[in-house]
Amino acid sequence: MNGWTGKLLRINLSEEEFYLETIPDSVLRDYIGGRGLGVKLYYDIVNPEIDPLSDENPLVFTTGPLTGIAPMSGRHSAVSKSPLTGTILDSNSGGNWGKELKYAGYDALVIEGRAEKPVYVKIENGDVSVESAEKLWGLDVKTVTGHLSPYGSVATIGPAGEKGVLYASIMNDGTHALGRGGLGAIMGSKNLKAIVVRGTNKPKVAHIERYKNAMREMIRLLEASPPINKGLKVFGTSMLYDIVNYLDVMPTNNFNDVHFDGGDELSGDSIVSRYAIKSEGCWGCPIKCKKWDAERNIELPEYETIWAFGPNIENGNYEKVVKANLKCNMYGMDTISTGATLAMWREIKGENLIDSVESVIHHEDLKLGSMRIARKYGADDRRTDVKGMELPGYDPRGLYGQALSYATSNRGGCHLRAYMVAPEIIGKPKLIHRLNPEGKAGLVVIFQNLNAVIDSLILCKFTAFAMTEVEYADLLSAATGINYRAEDLLRIGERIYNLERIFNVKAGFSGEDDTLPEKIFKGKHALSREIFNDMLNQYYEFRGWKNGVPTEETLRKLGIYD
Amino acid sequence: MNGWTGKLLRINLSEEEFYLETIPDSVLRDYIGGRGLGVKLYYDIVNPEIDPLSDENPLVFTTGPLTGIAPMSGRHSAVSKSPLTGTILDSNSGGNWGKELKYAGYDALVIEGRAEKPVYVKIENGDVSVESAEKLWGLDVKTVTGHLSPYGSVATIGPAGEKGVLYASIMNDGTHALGRGGLGAIMGSKNLKAIVVRGTNKPKVAHIERYKNAMREMIRLLEASPPINKGLKVFGTSMLYDIVNYLDVMPTNNFNDVHFDGGDELSGDSIVSRYAIKSEGCWGCPIKCKKWDAERNIELPEYETIWAFGPNIENGNYEKVVKANLKCNMYGMDTISTGATLAMWREIKGENLIDSVESVIHHEDLKLGSMRIARKYGADDRRTDVKGMELPGYDPRGLYGQALSYATSNRGGCHLRAYMVAPEIIGKPKLIHRLNPEGKAGLVVIFQNLNAVIDSLILCKFTAFAMTEVEYADLLSAATGINYRAEDLLRIGERIYNLERIFNVKAGFSGEDDTLPEKIFKGKHALSREIFNDMLNQYYEFRGWKNGVPTEETLRKLGIYD
């Protein structure tokens, strides 16, 4: 079929063997690519009770039918079971790596087993090899990337992944991250330091004229979108700092407050006025939301990172945030979980580690993340995570839709599974009341399903500031030749969300886990438990779930049989 | 205050006297203009139990702070109690008349009493007079408009309004209509044939640079919007015909079916291919969605009119629709209610009046609309109205959100109070499942509130294909100098909606009236009563209403005291 190669490359590190398999057309059609395809392939291979850091836990990388042929499509997904949360985990990253994997001819890459000694995987179109990485082991992300980049685009772990930090990331193209949930620790557990890929075969689309028109339409809409043109292009995600703080939804001091007064240096306006800004983008991106300090040639932090090393540990010094961000990227660690873990440590132990972020790698408590620290020190009521994944810098107490989406996210406390930031803070595609439960349950379902689709196409989520299902469907139909209607896409998103949920149920999760930290329900800014429970019950009703578990009827309706 | 003149011109036709009153700043700030201001002024004057066609029932015309200064702002509102429904009624119309009234210096014009003999009102800036219309009485809309246009922009009734047709319209600038709910019959009952207005004072805005930027942004977004550029600009509203029929939400044969097979001539594509199209627009409009036949220099019908004289009476002959539309505009009758009344007559009496639309004016049954016909002939189960206003061409059986918004509309069966057509059919600003109750109640509340605001600014609803609350708030703030946030606008919309509802409650309506015709709940395409009732109960919960009535707490929260 056009849009897909149908090829799955399976590499078993224990046996040092490779297999080329064919993915059934129906799987590609019904799960598209990226997150959807990754979840489906992973689900079909794995016993959900598997230990995430065991040899048997596979790591699935995927591309999608739009990867490398549309604007903002330079992305790939990875799916596995998270060592941080124990849930199914999908993560996606920008840059160039996904486009190379797609051009090399693969819809999916599955890594299984464990190498005896450190190795890296080298892929150049049809040529695949496993090489020794003994000389690379222990090296930081930028050094490894520099060593291997002559062979292609590099995805690598840093020392954090090697040491089993539960929130270690996989970094590609130097500064792009499969950040959340500890995929880097899984690579580390396999003695797999890096995967370097080069591909030279650009995929064909089914209907070239229709595709060109759809692309033109996409570019026109991107150019017209205010949050893109006035926000992301100029400030990157730091555009969010001022509005988040203004609305009192800035988690501060480990979620003990919702507003930070000392952050003048941290706002987008202030940053852009102080630094010589250079804009960098992923493959095929006209926005270039990544901002660099042109003078020192270093990347500047995203909004969530500014929050994590700023307000959440009551630090107003931007340069300290910049340094912490650089260290996280060098050592290969998720900045949100790192910052949240530091904030928890500061609250419980009174020790501020902002200047020695790298120390978490060797620290038996800190490497396990905030939930396990709170538990160990009898401070369960101080937790700031959902299902073990630390909440990011959008306070659920002032964002009812985001609150519900955190609680019901299949990978734990993540803002990107429904991205209610768009309607609740930015007012796109439609402003909704932040502090009103009305209609939130239905909207969270719709946005979760939509984001599952965007993650599967796979496109950058920021496209949703300009495009709707109508344009996504048009682009996908033109590329694949399959007639997807806008409504079909939402149904596919629903299917993916339910399949993830079923995995989690089999892994031991239930509706009891669809909740928020106790802190959120306490204090002067508290979210009412009654309101939250009402929204959650409505959410289950709309989802066709009973106590967080999809009913048989719901699964049958979606074509999921087990 | 900038943006408003603060002036209310009050004309008592019985006494032939004029008063100039000052509208309090707080009323302007809290109700903006257009619909909101009209509802507030009307509510404060009138006993809700008034007979709509009595001398004492005032007719309130309003402009808004953006009228005549922004793109797509050539609009005015009128508010009164509807003779068709007995509810509060607001209607708005495009063209030029609203801009003239604003430039003449008035935020509002209140017409009270009843002239002894036919008159027309003439306004030129501060000069106001009541003139004899004895020579105009009995003339059609185009003739009257031609006679009076040397004095300014003309709003007039045709013979239908004179004869008390309960769905008579007020036509301005020849072809624009305050269409629904019988405002023309109210003018007729006052012996008021026309209002001609000329104004020459362009209002000033508070912050000129900010305003220019906001306008530029608006124009950029309008130009980029697909439904505007690919749809309305090319086809006008007839763009909807094919998709509505494709989705099986085309009410056919007086709502006995949901799909019409014989309408090839009626689709937008077909019309544009057959006629030499000329595009006309309201004042300040870059879209120009009104389509004319350039050869014969006649206006072509809107989508709802095509439906009313097409599928709903099983007529596939487009020229017959064109003629019926011209007659309605000449005689001054709402095309939706006229067509729906014909369809009801055809079902009950077996007589098809498509070729003699004008006969309804003299017909004691037909002039009363479809609800009263059904009642008279013992066919209550054949009704196709909500609260007496006939449903338009979007079938609620296949559009759950639209269904709920019809039932809860304060003026009866109207598609424009929430315009769920946008999310449920066109997929803007965000596609939602048509056939799924999830989240519909909350969304209908949000969209009703938003549309109450757009109707109050007052801008064309099609701006919402491109703009969100964020841009509306920016434009309004720049014009007025008052800092409106996006969230403030939704709160204002909520206030307006609740005030309308309170009027209706005092006029004798309750939750019992928030329902749909029996036909909708029957037959093979039936909407489930259970699903509908669930949505309605949720809707009341979100609204803070008990059995359709706002609670005291809800009103207090909105600053409505009684």
Short mmCIF file of all heavy atoms in Angstrom, two decimals, chain A residues 421-472:
data_model
loop_
_atom_site.label_atom_id
_atom_site.label_comp_id
_atom_site.label_asym_id
_atom_site.label_seq_id
_atom_site.Cartn_x
_atom_site.Cartn_y
_atom_site.Cartn_z
N VAL A 421 -4.22 21.91 27.42
CA VAL A 421 -3.57 23.23 27.44
C VAL A 421 -4.11 24.10 26.30
O VAL A 421 -4.34 25.31 26.47
CB VAL A 421 -2.03 23.05 27.31
CG1 VAL A 421 -1.35 24.38 27.07
CG2 VAL A 421 -1.47 22.34 28.53
N ALA A 422 -4.33 23.49 25.14
CA ALA A 422 -4.78 24.26 23.96
C ALA A 422 -6.16 24.89 24.20
O ALA A 422 -6.29 26.11 24.14
CB ALA A 422 -4.75 23.38 22.72
N PRO A 423 -7.19 24.12 24.51
CA PRO A 423 -8.49 24.78 24.73
C PRO A 423 -8.58 25.52 26.06
O PRO A 423 -9.28 26.53 26.15
CB PRO A 423 -9.50 23.61 24.69
CG PRO A 423 -8.70 22.38 24.98
CD PRO A 423 -7.33 22.65 24.47
N GLU A 424 -7.89 25.05 27.11
CA GLU A 424 -8.09 25.66 28.43
C GLU A 424 -7.18 26.86 28.70
O GLU A 424 -7.52 27.72 29.51
CB GLU A 424 -7.91 24.61 29.54
CG GLU A 424 -9.04 23.59 29.54
CD GLU A 424 -9.08 22.73 30.78
OE1 GLU A 424 -8.01 22.33 31.27
OE2 GLU A 424 -10.19 22.43 31.26
N ILE A 425 -6.04 26.93 28.05
CA ILE A 425 -5.13 28.06 28.28
C ILE A 425 -5.03 28.93 27.04
O ILE A 425 -5.17 30.15 27.10
CB ILE A 425 -3.72 27.56 28.70
CG1 ILE A 425 -3.79 26.86 30.05
CG2 ILE A 425 -2.73 28.72 28.74
CD1 ILE A 425 -2.47 26.34 30.55
N ILE A 426 -4.81 28.31 25.88
CA ILE A 426 -4.55 29.09 24.67
C ILE A 426 -5.84 29.43 23.93
O ILE A 426 -5.87 30.34 23.11
CB ILE A 426 -3.54 28.32 23.77
CG1 ILE A 426 -2.27 28.01 24.56
CG2 ILE A 426 -3.19 29.12 22.52
CD1 ILE A 426 -1.27 27.14 23.86
N GLY A 427 -6.92 28.70 24.24
CA GLY A 427 -8.20 29.01 23.60
C GLY A 427 -8.32 28.46 22.18
O GLY A 427 -9.09 28.96 21.38
N LYS A 428 -7.54 27.42 21.85
CA LYS A 428 -7.57 26.81 20.52
C LYS A 428 -7.86 25.32 20.64
O LYS A 428 -7.31 24.69 21.51
CB LYS A 428 -6.24 27.01 19.79
CG LYS A 428 -5.84 28.45 19.61
CD LYS A 428 -6.70 29.15 18.62
CE LYS A 428 -6.40 30.65 18.63
NZ LYS A 428 -7.31 31.44 17.86
N PRO A 429 -8.63 24.70 19.76
CA PRO A 429 -9.37 25.34 18.67
C PRO A 429 -10.57 26.14 19.16
O PRO A 429 -11.20 26.83 18.38
CB PRO A 429 -9.83 24.14 17.82
CG PRO A 429 -9.92 23.02 18.77
CD PRO A 429 -8.83 23.24 19.76
N LYS A 430 -10.84 26.12 20.48
CA LYS A 430 -12.04 26.73 21.02
C LYS A 430 -11.81 26.87 22.51
O LYS A 430 -11.46 25.90 23.17
CB LYS A 430 -13.21 25.76 20.73
CG LYS A 430 -14.52 26.07 21.40
CD LYS A 430 -15.30 27.07 20.60
CE LYS A 430 -16.45 27.62 21.42
NZ LYS A 430 -15.98 28.47 22.53
N LEU A 431 -11.98 28.09 23.01
CA LEU A 431 -11.81 28.29 24.45
C LEU A 431 -12.89 27.57 25.24
O LEU A 431 -14.06 27.60 24.88
CB LEU A 431 -11.89 29.78 24.76
CG LEU A 431 -11.61 30.13 26.24
CD1 LEU A 431 -10.13 29.99 26.55
CD2 LEU A 431 -12.08 31.54 26.56
N ILE A 432 -12.50 26.91 26.32
CA ILE A 432 -13.49 26.36 27.23
C ILE A 432 -13.16 26.83 28.64
O ILE A 432 -12.01 27.13 28.96
CB ILE A 432 -13.54 24.82 27.17
CG1 ILE A 432 -12.17 24.21 27.44
CG2 ILE A 432 -14.03 24.36 25.80
CD1 ILE A 432 -12.18 22.71 27.47
N HIS A 433 -14.18 26.93 29.49
CA HIS A 433 -13.97 27.35 30.87
C HIS A 433 -13.01 26.40 31.57
O HIS A 433 -13.26 25.20 31.63
CB HIS A 433 -15.28 27.32 31.64
CG HIS A 433 -16.22 28.42 31.30
ND1 HIS A 433 -15.92 29.73 31.52
CD2 HIS A 433 -17.46 28.40 30.77
CE1 HIS A 433 -16.94 30.49 31.14
NE2 HIS A 433 -17.89 29.70 30.66
N ARG A 434 -11.95 26.96 32.16
CA ARG A 434 -11.00 26.11 32.88
C ARG A 434 -11.59 25.54 34.15
O ARG A 434 -11.26 24.43 34.57
CB ARG A 434 -9.79 26.94 33.34
CG ARG A 434 -9.04 27.62 32.27
CD ARG A 434 -7.85 28.36 32.87
NE ARG A 434 -8.23 29.56 33.59
CZ ARG A 434 -7.95 29.80 34.85
NH1 ARG A 434 -7.28 28.91 35.57
NH2 ARG A 434 -8.32 30.92 35.42
N LEU A 435 -12.43 26.35 34.79
CA LEU A 435 -12.85 26.05 36.17
C LEU A 435 -14.30 25.61 36.21
O LEU A 435 -15.04 25.94 37.12
CB LEU A 435 -12.65 27.29 37.04
CG LEU A 435 -11.19 27.73 37.15
CD1 LEU A 435 -11.08 29.10 37.76
CD2 LEU A 435 -10.41 26.72 37.99
N ASN A 436 -14.69 24.85 35.24
CA ASN A 436 -16.07 24.45 35.10
C ASN A 436 -16.06 23.02 34.61
O ASN A 436 -15.43 22.73 33.60
CB ASN A 436 -16.73 25.39 34.07
CG ASN A 436 -18.22 25.30 34.13
OD1 ASN A 436 -18.77 24.27 34.48
ND2 ASN A 436 -18.86 26.38 33.78
N PRO A 437 -16.75 22.13 35.32
CA PRO A 437 -16.70 20.73 34.88
C PRO A 437 -17.56 20.45 33.65
O PRO A 437 -17.46 19.39 33.06
CB PRO A 437 -17.25 19.97 36.09
CG PRO A 437 -18.10 20.95 36.81
CD PRO A 437 -17.49 22.30 36.57
N GLU A 438 -18.35 21.44 33.22
CA GLU A 438 -19.33 21.17 32.17
C GLU A 438 -18.68 20.67 30.88
O GLU A 438 -17.80 21.30 30.32
CB GLU A 438 -20.20 22.39 31.88
CG GLU A 438 -19.50 23.53 31.18
CD GLU A 438 -20.40 24.77 31.09
OE1 GLU A 438 -21.27 24.95 31.96
OE2 GLU A 438 -20.22 25.55 30.17
N GLY A 439 -19.14 19.50 30.46
CA GLY A 439 -18.70 18.97 29.17
C GLY A 439 -17.26 18.49 29.14
O GLY A 439 -16.77 18.06 28.10
N LYS A 440 -16.54 18.59 30.25
CA LYS A 440 -15.12 18.27 30.24
C LYS A 440 -14.87 16.80 29.90
O LYS A 440 -13.94 16.48 29.18
CB LYS A 440 -14.47 18.60 31.59
CG LYS A 440 -14.28 20.09 31.83
CD LYS A 440 -13.21 20.66 30.92
CE LYS A 440 -13.38 22.15 30.66
NZ LYS A 440 -13.17 22.98 31.83
N ALA A 441 -15.71 15.92 30.45
CA ALA A 441 -15.49 14.50 30.25
C ALA A 441 -15.53 14.16 28.76
O ALA A 441 -14.64 13.48 28.24
CB ALA A 441 -16.53 13.70 31.01
N GLY A 442 -16.54 14.65 28.09
CA GLY A 442 -16.66 14.38 26.66
C GLY A 442 -15.51 14.97 25.87
O GLY A 442 -14.96 14.33 24.96
N LEU A 443 -15.11 16.18 26.24
CA LEU A 443 -14.02 16.84 25.51
C LEU A 443 -12.70 16.12 25.71
O LEU A 443 -11.92 15.98 24.78
CB LEU A 443 -13.89 18.29 25.97
CG LEU A 443 -14.91 19.24 25.34
CD1 LEU A 443 -14.85 20.59 26.03
CD2 LEU A 443 -14.65 19.40 23.85
N VAL A 444 -12.46 15.66 26.94
CA VAL A 444 -11.20 14.96 27.19
C VAL A 444 -11.16 13.68 26.35
O VAL A 444 -10.13 13.34 25.75
CB VAL A 444 -11.02 14.67 28.69
CG1 VAL A 444 -9.90 13.67 28.92
CG2 VAL A 444 -10.73 15.97 29.44
N VAL A 445 -12.27 12.98 26.25
CA VAL A 445 -12.33 11.79 25.39
C VAL A 445 -11.98 12.16 23.95
O VAL A 445 -11.14 11.53 23.31
CB VAL A 445 -13.74 11.14 25.45
CG1 VAL A 445 -13.88 10.06 24.37
CG2 VAL A 445 -14.02 10.57 26.83
N ILE A 446 -12.63 13.20 23.45
CA ILE A 446 -12.41 13.61 22.06
C ILE A 446 -10.96 14.02 21.83
O ILE A 446 -10.33 13.60 20.86
CB ILE A 446 -13.34 14.79 21.71
CG1 ILE A 446 -14.80 14.30 21.63
CG2 ILE A 446 -12.94 15.43 20.38
CD1 ILE A 446 -15.82 15.43 21.46
N PHE A 447 -10.40 14.80 22.76
CA PHE A 447 -9.02 15.26 22.57
C PHE A 447 -8.01 14.12 22.77
O PHE A 447 -6.98 14.09 22.10
CB PHE A 447 -8.70 16.46 23.48
CG PHE A 447 -9.21 17.76 22.92
CD1 PHE A 447 -10.44 18.28 23.28
CD2 PHE A 447 -8.46 18.47 21.99
CE1 PHE A 447 -10.92 19.48 22.75
CE2 PHE A 447 -8.92 19.66 21.45
CZ PHE A 447 -10.15 20.17 21.82
N GLN A 448 -8.30 13.20 23.66
CA GLN A 448 -7.41 12.04 23.80
C GLN A 448 -7.40 11.22 22.51
O GLN A 448 -6.34 10.78 22.04
CB GLN A 448 -7.85 11.16 24.98
CG GLN A 448 -7.47 11.72 26.34
CD GLN A 448 -8.02 10.89 27.49
OE1 GLN A 448 -9.01 10.15 27.33
NE2 GLN A 448 -7.42 11.00 28.66
N ASN A 449 -8.58 11.04 21.93
CA ASN A 449 -8.66 10.27 20.69
C ASN A 449 -7.95 11.00 19.55
O ASN A 449 -7.19 10.39 18.78
CB ASN A 449 -10.12 10.01 20.31
CG ASN A 449 -10.82 9.08 21.30
OD1 ASN A 449 -10.17 8.43 22.12
ND2 ASN A 449 -12.13 9.03 21.23
N LEU A 450 -8.17 12.29 19.46
CA LEU A 450 -7.52 13.06 18.40
C LEU A 450 -6.00 13.01 18.53
O LEU A 450 -5.28 12.80 17.55
CB LEU A 450 -7.98 14.53 18.45
CG LEU A 450 -7.19 15.48 17.54
CD1 LEU A 450 -7.34 15.11 16.07
CD2 LEU A 450 -7.62 16.93 17.76
N ASN A 451 -5.50 13.17 19.77
CA ASN A 451 -4.05 13.17 19.94
C ASN A 451 -3.44 11.80 19.68
O ASN A 451 -2.31 11.70 19.21
CB ASN A 451 -3.68 13.71 21.32
CG ASN A 451 -3.71 15.23 21.33
OD1 ASN A 451 -2.87 15.87 20.71
ND2 ASN A 451 -4.71 15.82 21.96
N ALA A 452 -4.20 10.75 19.95
CA ALA A 452 -3.72 9.41 19.60
C ALA A 452 -3.55 9.30 18.09
O ALA A 452 -2.63 8.63 17.61
CB ALA A 452 -4.69 8.35 20.12
N VAL A 453 -4.42 9.97 17.34
CA VAL A 453 -4.32 9.93 15.88
C VAL A 453 -3.12 10.75 15.39
O VAL A 453 -2.35 10.29 14.56
CB VAL A 453 -5.61 10.47 15.23
CG1 VAL A 453 -5.42 10.69 13.74
CG2 VAL A 453 -6.76 9.50 15.48
N ILE A 454 -2.97 11.96 15.92
CA ILE A 454 -1.84 12.80 15.51
C ILE A 454 -0.52 12.07 15.81
O ILE A 454 0.41 12.09 15.00
CB ILE A 454 -1.88 14.17 16.23
CG1 ILE A 454 -3.18 14.91 15.88
CG2 ILE A 454 -0.68 15.02 15.84
CD1 ILE A 454 -3.39 16.19 16.67
N ASP A 455 -0.47 11.40 16.97
CA ASP A 455 0.72 10.63 17.34
C ASP A 455 0.93 9.43 16.43
O ASP A 455 1.98 8.77 16.50
CB ASP A 455 0.59 10.12 18.78
CG ASP A 455 0.75 11.22 19.81
OD1 ASP A 455 1.27 12.30 19.45
OD2 ASP A 455 0.35 11.00 20.98
N SER A 456 -0.05 9.09 15.64
CA SER A 456 0.05 7.90 14.79
C SER A 456 0.30 8.23 13.33
O SER A 456 0.68 7.36 12.55
CB SER A 456 -1.24 7.06 14.92
OG SER A 456 -1.44 6.70 16.29
N LEU A 457 0.08 9.48 12.95
CA LEU A 457 0.21 9.82 11.51
C LEU A 457 1.64 9.74 10.99
O LEU A 457 1.82 9.33 9.84
CB LEU A 457 -0.34 11.24 11.26
CG LEU A 457 -1.87 11.35 11.37
CD1 LEU A 457 -2.31 12.80 11.36
CD2 LEU A 457 -2.54 10.57 10.27
N ILE A 458 2.66 10.16 11.62
CA ILE A 458 2.80 10.85 12.88
C ILE A 458 3.23 12.27 12.57
O ILE A 458 4.16 12.49 11.79
CB ILE A 458 3.81 10.08 13.76
CG1 ILE A 458 4.22 10.83 14.99
CG2 ILE A 458 5.03 9.77 12.98
CD1 ILE A 458 5.16 10.01 15.91
N LEU A 459 2.49 13.23 13.18
CA LEU A 459 2.81 14.63 13.00
C LEU A 459 3.04 15.29 14.35
O LEU A 459 2.62 14.76 15.39
CB LEU A 459 1.67 15.36 12.28
CG LEU A 459 1.43 15.02 10.80
CD1 LEU A 459 0.19 15.75 10.30
CD2 LEU A 459 2.62 15.39 9.94
N CYS A 460 3.66 16.45 14.31
CA CYS A 460 3.85 17.25 15.52
C CYS A 460 2.48 17.70 16.02
O CYS A 460 1.61 18.10 15.25
CB CYS A 460 4.71 18.45 15.19
SG CYS A 460 4.85 19.64 16.54
N LYS A 461 2.30 17.68 17.35
CA LYS A 461 1.02 18.09 17.93
C LYS A 461 0.69 19.56 17.66
O LYS A 461 -0.48 19.95 17.68
CB LYS A 461 1.05 17.88 19.44
CG LYS A 461 0.86 16.45 19.84
CD LYS A 461 0.21 16.34 21.20
CE LYS A 461 -0.30 14.94 21.42
NZ LYS A 461 0.76 13.95 21.55
N PHE A 462 1.71 20.35 17.43
CA PHE A 462 1.44 21.78 17.20
C PHE A 462 0.69 22.02 15.89
O PHE A 462 0.15 23.09 15.68
CB PHE A 462 2.74 22.59 17.25
CG PHE A 462 3.35 22.65 18.62
CD1 PHE A 462 4.73 22.73 18.79
CD2 PHE A 462 2.55 22.62 19.77
CE1 PHE A 462 5.30 22.80 20.05
CE2 PHE A 462 3.13 22.68 21.04
CZ PHE A 462 4.50 22.76 21.18
N THR A 463 0.66 21.01 15.01
CA THR A 463 -0.16 21.15 13.80
C THR A 463 -1.62 21.40 14.17
O THR A 463 -2.36 22.03 13.42
CB THR A 463 -0.11 19.89 12.92
OG1 THR A 463 -0.48 18.75 13.70
CG2 THR A 463 1.28 19.69 12.34
N ALA A 464 -2.02 20.92 15.36
CA ALA A 464 -3.43 21.07 15.77
C ALA A 464 -3.79 22.52 16.12
O ALA A 464 -4.97 22.82 16.32
CB ALA A 464 -3.75 20.14 16.94
N PHE A 465 -2.80 23.40 16.20
CA PHE A 465 -3.13 24.83 16.33
C PHE A 465 -3.67 25.38 15.01
O PHE A 465 -4.14 26.51 14.94
CB PHE A 465 -1.90 25.64 16.75
CG PHE A 465 -1.56 25.51 18.20
CD1 PHE A 465 -0.24 25.30 18.60
CD2 PHE A 465 -2.53 25.61 19.18
CE1 PHE A 465 0.09 25.19 19.94
CE2 PHE A 465 -2.21 25.50 20.52
CZ PHE A 465 -0.91 25.28 20.91
N ALA A 466 -3.52 24.61 13.95
CA ALA A 466 -3.92 25.10 12.63
C ALA A 466 -4.86 24.15 11.91
O ALA A 466 -5.72 24.58 11.16
CB ALA A 466 -2.67 25.33 11.77
N MET A 467 -4.70 22.84 12.14
CA MET A 467 -5.45 21.85 11.37
C MET A 467 -6.51 21.18 12.24
O MET A 467 -6.38 21.11 13.46
CB MET A 467 -4.50 20.77 10.85
CG MET A 467 -3.41 21.29 9.96
SD MET A 467 -2.12 20.05 9.65
CE MET A 467 -2.96 18.98 8.46
N THR A 468 -7.53 20.66 11.57
CA THR A 468 -8.52 19.84 12.26
C THR A 468 -8.55 18.46 11.60
O THR A 468 -7.84 18.23 10.62
CB THR A 468 -9.92 20.46 12.19
OG1 THR A 468 -10.35 20.47 10.82
CG2 THR A 468 -9.92 21.88 12.72
N GLU A 469 -9.39 17.59 12.12
CA GLU A 469 -9.52 16.23 11.58
C GLU A 469 -9.74 16.25 10.08
O GLU A 469 -9.32 15.33 9.37
CB GLU A 469 -10.70 15.52 12.25
CG GLU A 469 -10.53 15.22 13.71
CD GLU A 469 -10.77 16.42 14.61
OE1 GLU A 469 -10.98 17.54 14.09
OE2 GLU A 469 -10.74 16.25 15.82
N VAL A 470 -10.45 17.27 9.60
CA VAL A 470 -10.77 17.34 8.17
C VAL A 470 -9.48 17.39 7.34
O VAL A 470 -9.33 16.65 6.36
CB VAL A 470 -11.63 18.59 7.89
CG1 VAL A 470 -11.97 18.69 6.41
CG2 VAL A 470 -12.89 18.58 8.73
N GLU A 471 -8.55 18.24 7.75
CA GLU A 471 -7.30 18.36 7.00
C GLU A 471 -6.38 17.15 7.20
O GLU A 471 -5.70 16.71 6.27
CB GLU A 471 -6.55 19.64 7.38
CG GLU A 471 -7.17 20.92 6.84
CD GLU A 471 -8.34 21.41 7.67
OE1 GLU A 471 -8.35 21.27 8.91
OE2 GLU A 471 -9.31 21.92 7.08
N TYR A 472 -6.36 16.62 8.43
CA TYR A 472 -5.56 15.40 8.65
C TYR A 472 -6.05 14.27 7.76
O TYR A 472 -5.27 13.53 7.15
CB TYR A 472 -5.63 14.95 10.12
CG TYR A 472 -4.95 15.86 11.11
CD1 TYR A 472 -5.62 16.34 12.23
CD2 TYR A 472 -3.61 16.20 10.96
CE1 TYR A 472 -5.00 17.16 13.15
CE2 TYR A 472 -2.97 17.03 11.89
CZ TYR A 472 -3.68 17.50 12.99
OH TYR A 472 -3.07 18.32 13.90
#
